[in-house]
Amino acid sequence: MSSIYGAGGSGRRGEATAVMNPSEPERALRYVFGRGSAYEAEIGVSEALQVLTDEDELVHPDQRMFQVVHLITEYLWYTMHYELRRVMAALDRNERDEARVLLDRVVTMVDAQVGMLKLLLRHLTQQSLLVMRMNLPNDATGLDSPGGSNLRKLAVPLWRRFVSAVEREGTTVVALARLRLKAEVERTTLSPVEQELGDLYDSLHAFDQCVLEWRQLHVHLAWTQLGGSPGGAVDGEAPVVEREAKSLRGRPVSDLERIASKPLFPEQWGIPNLLFDEITAEPAGGER
Ligand code: HEM
């Protein structure tokens, strides 16, 4: 990052002290910042811009988009972690409605991350990625993403908090699901507590579904950039013998596919199986 006044320069308040593209000759096209305003101080935007690779050090013009997409996703992951800890605290206090509102906020954050992946899927060409990849160290791997690993870790205590919140009301998650189905079939109403727990159940499931959606799109991105999509034979080309697309650290892309189909709350995904079997089971005597 360059400062208009040189490293460590201090512009007067109101004057920009840093510029993203110092080699730009046209003054009006320079992206300047660091005016010492209350806005910049409050948001921390100057520091956030400083972490970006200098424009003249980018190995490819698309590296800017690539880096920013990763950073935004990581910021959102951290923020989701923050909000999910609030969800757990609200559950512990039996504030079910607050927990659901916060969970829904987290779901919208995952939607934003899905949008970030779509940006890469639609606008990052394989050529650009392969050029950037040549300059990445061999041990660079998304498995070291702090956001990804902290989120995976948090899923277990979050699910346990939900189970406890349900059990404190004298029921279980499976019994709650059965009760909701029964109420639907028999057109009866749930009590307010059952309704709140049911809404929470749906929000948790929506969260897990959205994370799976992100993971599936991420696999598509790997297929687009590295290869490895199943059935990828090309007419007129000699078959690629036993080639498996690999990540930088040499692991097959199929590893990622395995991770991508793992939900955060596997127990909850078992419940639709139970309910489907129960409602479609032949009643005694063969009558339906
Ligand atoms: C061109 C874009 C991308 C490609 C080709 C790609 C490829 C891969 C591959 C092959 C892996 C498997 C890990 C390994 O074997 O080393 C992986 C893992 C991972 N990547 Fe990416 N990735 C891309 C973009 C992103 C973005 C934008 C993020 C967001 C921060 C991200 C986050 C992760 C995470 C968290 C993992 C660990 C597995 C998981 O939690 O699902 N990746 N990536």
Side-chain angles (χ1 to χ4, degrees):
M1 179 56 44
S2 313
S3 163
I4 285 178
Y5 303 102
S10 57
R12 285 198 318 275
R13 185 179 170 78
E15 279 180 28
T17 58
V19 56
M20 296 298 286
N21 50 345
S23 51
E24 170 59 54
E26 204 176 325
R27 207 175 169 74
L29 298 187
R30 288 202 193 147
Y31 192 99
V32 295
F33 63 102
R35 293 180 193 279
S37 66
Y39 174 87
E40 286 174 318
E42 176 62 25
I43 306 294
V45 59
S46 300
E47 290 81 359
L49 286 170
Q50 306 269 359
V51 302
L52 296 177
T53 309
D54 275 354
E55 284 195 11
D56 49 13
E57 284 173 20
L58 294 174
V59 296
H60 188 284
D62 290 352
Q63 193 188 349
R64 172 58 74 238
M65 172 173 69
F66 185 80
Q67 187 181 24
V68 167
V69 165
H70 277 83
L71 280 173
I72 292 175
T73 306
E74 291 288 351
Y75 263 128
L76 283 169
W77 262 323
Y78 158 66
T79 313
M80 283 159 56
H81 197 275
Y82 170 84
E83 301 292 4
L84 289 170
R85 282 180 277 126
R86 293 179 69 200
V87 168
M88 291 195 274
L91 284 175
D92 289 347
R93 294 193 308 270
N94 270 351
E95 301 277 357
R96 292 178 288 264
D97 208 42
E98 183 185 334
R100 184 194 49 78
V101 168
L102 291 170
L103 256 177
D104 291 346
R105 177 184 296 189
V106 170
V107 174
T108 304
M109 289 183 196
V110 188
D111 282 342
Q113 293 180 322
V114 165
M116 288 296 105
L117 280 192
K118 286 187 178 166
L119 186 62
L120 293 186
L121 271 165
R122 292 179 193 158
H123 302 288
L124 181 69
T125 63
Q126 188 185 19
Q127 305 85 280
S128 322
L129 188 275
L130 292 181
V131 171
M132 286 190 262
R133 197 169 186 266
M134 284 171 198
N135 291 280
L136 286 173
N138 278 341
D139 56 355
T141 167
L143 289 170
D144 289 335
S145 144
S149 57
N150 280 303
L151 182 70
R152 279 191 295 273
K153 258 190 341 200
L154 178 136
V156 174
L158 173 59
W159 177 253
R160 281 204 202 115
R161 296 297 213 289
F162 173 63
V163 171
S164 303
V166 174
E167 289 177 355
R168 279 198 300 275
E169 300 304 327
T171 184
T172 65
V173 177
V174 175
L176 174 72
R178 285 196 175 112
L179 184 72
R180 293 176 82 204
L181 177 62
K182 186 167 180 280
E184 197 74 32
V185 172
E186 296 177 0
R187 293 172 186 271
T188 53
T189 12
L190 297 171
S191 71
V193 170
E194 290 160 352
Q195 187 65 48
E196 280 179 14
L197 289 172
D199 290 346
L200 261 173
Y201 178 104
D202 289 340
S203 292
L204 268 178
H205 200 47
F207 169 46
D208 206 357
Q209 285 179 62
C210 277
V211 171
L212 281 178
E213 185 185 350
W214 184 91
R215 290 185 171 160
Q216 294 295 333
L217 275 186
H218 179 242
V219 170
H220 295 179
L221 195 56
W223 286 347
T224 313
Q225 305 294 343
L226 312 178
S229 89
V234 179
D235 275 357
E237 291 290 328
V240 182
V241 186
E242 299 293 320
R243 177 195 178 275
E244 228 194 325
K246 299 242 173 43
S247 68
L248 273 172
R249 62 184 186 108
R251 294 299 307 163
V253 168
S254 51
D255 273 12
L256 192 58
E257 289 166 45
R258 207 169 21 78
I259 299 174
S261 54
K262 275 195 187 156
L264 295 173
F265 315 123
E267 284 175 66
Q268 195 172 21
W269 285 88
I271 292 175
N273 301 340
L274 281 182
L275 298 189
F276 183 84
D277 287 350
E278 286 171 13
I279 205 148
T280 55
E282 290 280 334
E287 290 170 26
R288 291 200 67 85

